[in-house]
Amino acid sequence: MNSLLKPTSIESCALCPRACGAHRAFGDSGVCGAADALKLARAALHMWEEPPISGERGSGTIFFSGCPLKCVYCQNHEISTGNFGIEVPAERLVEIMFELQDQGAHNINLVTATHYAHLLPHAVSQARAQGLAIPIVYNTSGYERVEAVAELGDVVDVWLTDYKYASDELGRELSHVSDYPDVAERALVQMCKEIERRGGALSDADGMMKRGTIVRHLVLPGHADDSCAVLDRIWNAVGDVPISVMNQYTPNAAMRVAGGLLSRAVTTEEYEQVLDHADDLGFTTMFWQEGGAVDESFTPPFDTTGVLKPSA
Ligand code: SF4
């Protein structure tokens, strides 16, 4: 079987569904902003993931620079579009995992690693061989190739995946891809298959997730109907999976200037419409956010904390 996730995959890159063919291994950058070197923006404990991920001590988040999607409203635009970060050797990834474990992280949370997935099987197997004991969380936009998900099936323990849109048109307008809903659905089905293959979801005695899937959906202002359609697609594709319905949308500077629906927050009515629909469908594990969750604390400072080796 041909492997997708190997170092030579970036000679003519097709790691993500864009398959833009960038010659990254020879120094060119792809649509995602990545070239040959690993680039990271931050590595630190993060308290604002879902409770079974952040727990009391925090999730050990590693933010990868760049992103294959270019969502116009992105809260992390400095790193997703701006490609902010520091280039480090691939071996540094393993060191960072141990530093986060030593800080007490409940897990290693790889945030938007899609375009660096070719490095993950080796890095995680090295870390496991050296004693990394905490779960690997793969925190993704959901825009993933099925082949990549399948190859990461024994590398990733928890899939924390977005499902952003049900409408192709919204995907085109807001993330510049024509096939988001179908791609995200196929990827999600594969994620759930991988978890089942490994024995199903698993939590520890404190309710921390050791293995499983959480599907995230950020409700966008003016698009509650599409959010309900997203929930329909999730339910029809994989049934009663844990979901996280978020109302933390905050207009970034570009959206405030552009005006229109995405220049405001989500209303209580819109959010309740989506939560009610999730209830009606029958989802039994649902995370939601209380109050007007427009809060900058959800977005950590991208200041390269933890990226470089600590000086002795
Ligand atoms: S991961 Fe980046 S370089 Fe590779 S196909 Fe996707 S956008 Fe292109």
Side-chain angles (χ1 to χ4, degrees):
M1 191 181 81
N2 274 340
S3 167
L4 176 66
L5 306 185
K6 57 184 189 292
T8 52
S9 297
I10 62 168
E11 287 178 1
S12 176
C13 189
L15 279 181
C16 85
R18 280 192 190 270
C20 75
H23 299 142
R24 290 173 54 185
F26 310 103
D28 291 349
S29 298
V31 174
C32 58
D36 51 343
L38 171 62
K39 202 169 176 187
L40 302 176
R42 181 177 170 87
L45 297 179
H46 189 62
M47 301 304 300
W48 293 279
E49 308 289 24
E50 287 73 6
I53 304 293
S54 277
E56 296 199 343
R57 301 193 305 273
S59 177
T61 46
I62 304 176
F63 287 89
F64 291 74
S65 305
C67 179
L69 285 187
K70 296 286 177 231
C71 305
V72 295
Y73 52 84
C74 183
Q75 317 275 297
N76 298 345
H77 53 92
E78 288 162 84
I79 56 174
S80 58
T81 302
N83 203 29
F84 172 81
I86 301 180
E87 291 184 0
V88 290
E91 307 78 60
R92 178 75 191 123
L93 199 48
V94 179
E95 295 171 355
I96 288 174
M97 291 180 190
F98 281 99
E99 287 159 20
L100 291 168
Q101 180 172 261
D102 289 347
Q103 289 168 33
H106 288 286
N107 43 59
I108 298 299
N109 185 344
L110 307 172
V111 184
T112 317
T114 309
H115 43 304
Y116 289 111
H118 60 300
L119 302 176
L120 299 180
H122 180 69
V124 173
S125 77
Q126 291 281 103
R128 290 288 183 225
Q130 292 170 36
L132 187 82
I134 52 182
I136 300 289
V137 178
Y138 191 79
N139 189 331
T140 167
S141 68
Y143 197 63
E144 296 283 347
R145 288 185 59 174
V146 166
E147 298 88 340
V149 173
E151 283 190 48
L152 291 172
D154 288 319
V155 173
V156 169
D157 301 299
V158 177
W159 299 95
L160 187 54
T161 184
D162 289 351
Y163 203 133
K164 294 175 183 292
Y165 323 107
S167 143
D168 288 340
E169 197 183 321
L170 267 188
R172 256 191 299 272
E173 181 188 334
L174 302 181
S175 297
H176 313 299
V177 290
S178 59
D179 52 0
Y180 181 89
D182 287 346
V183 166
E185 181 173 315
R186 286 195 295 268
L188 173 60
V189 167
Q190 189 66 37
M191 291 169 193
C192 292
K193 274 188 194 164
E194 295 301 329
I195 294 301
E196 284 309 308
R197 181 180 59 77
R198 289 178 53 187
L202 186 68
S203 297
D204 69 13
D206 298 323
M208 298 303 298
M209 196 174 256
K210 309 292 271 183
R211 192 169 62 223
T213 305
I214 297 177
V215 187
R216 280 177 161 174
H217 176 71
L218 176 69
V219 181
L220 295 173
H223 295 294
D225 288 345
D226 192 69
S227 293
C228 293
V230 164
L231 296 175
D232 290 339
R233 287 191 73 136
I234 297 168
W235 184 263
N236 291 332
V238 296
D240 189 13
V241 68
I243 57 169
S244 177
V245 182
M246 304 182 292
N247 70 343
Q248 70 186 57
Y249 174 80
T250 309
N252 62 24
M255 293 299 96
R256 285 196 298 268
V257 169
L261 288 172
L262 295 182
S263 63
R264 65 166 172 86
V266 170
T267 65
T268 304
E269 291 71 27
E270 288 171 329
Y271 191 45
E272 284 179 355
Q273 177 191 339
V274 182
L275 294 179
D276 287 348
H277 191 66
D279 261 343
D280 290 345
L281 284 168
F283 286 104
T284 53
T285 302
M286 177 162 59
F287 303 97
W288 69 90
Q289 296 173 317
E290 291 183 1
V294 179
D295 183 341
E296 298 215 334
S297 64
F298 290 115
T299 307
F302 295 118
D303 54 5
T304 69
T305 294
V307 173
L308 294 176
K309 201 176 179 115
S311 41

